[in-house]
Amino acid sequence: MTMPARKVHLLGNASYRDEAEAMLAAPGDAALVERGVLRSLVLRCPDGCGETLVVNFDPRAGKAWRLYQRRGAVSVYPSVWLDGGCESHFIIWKDRILWCDVFEEGNEEPDYDPAIEPLVLDALPADRFVDPATIAQELDLIVWDAGKALRRLVARGDAREGVGSLKGTFGRIPQDV
Ligand SMILES: [Zn+2]
């Protein structure tokens, strides 16, 4: 089996999907489709299977992902999961592809700034649990960065994660007075 791509290479923008697809050559190559509004990311499947994936950003066209372009790097939330076909499942985080299953072992997380952690902690409510997307929205962070900050805060004992149906949501640790 060939090595999977570990990075997304955004090659440019196009008005139509066919145009975007024509730009792609190698696994991980991608182009944005923008026509009036941002429509989708067209991506040559990073596992090397040769399929083209279309990640939709337009809520009018069905399930929509969110695109972040920060300092020239691309992030997409939530994870990209191709139903049927090769069943690739991965996260796109600041141009890095983090595999969720088969190729997980070679995953390398992108640069991360721990300076966001005090802000994330401040934004956490004490009386309920919120998900990383809510915190990210409030602080204008990429959701994957907010999620990492929350996990690190939990690991240090500064925040708590819900259990059962609240797993994946986070809250401040209530202070006994
Ligand atoms: Zn594939």
Side-chain angles (χ1 to χ4, degrees), residues 128-151:
R128 65 204 153 86
F129 291 91
V130 293
D131 63 13
T134 303
I135 295 292
Q137 178 81 32
E138 196 175 322
L139 298 175
D140 193 28
L141 297 171
I142 296 167
V143 181
W144 304 124
D145 283 324
K148 180 164 182 169
L150 288 163
R151 290 193 307 275

Side-chain angles (χ1 to χ4, degrees), residues 29-93:
D29 282 359
L32 289 168
V33 180
E34 200 165 4
R35 199 166 61 251
V37 295
L38 186 63
R39 308 284 171 136
S40 58
L41 180 78
V42 178
L43 174 70
R44 181 61 44 89
C45 185
D47 74 358
C49 72
E51 282 190 61
T52 299
L53 316 186
V54 179
V55 181
N56 176 51
F57 300 127
D58 183 357
R60 297 169 305 174
K63 185 189 172 185
W65 278 256
R66 177 164 180 179
L67 174 77
Y68 302 85
Q69 283 182 288
R70 303 265 166 100
R71 295 178 194 171
V74 178
S75 304
V76 171
Y77 180 83
S79 65
V80 178
W81 192 347
L82 186 68
D83 270 336
C86 70
E87 297 187 334
S88 263
H89 185 199
F90 52 87
I91 285 166
I92 301 174
W93 183 7

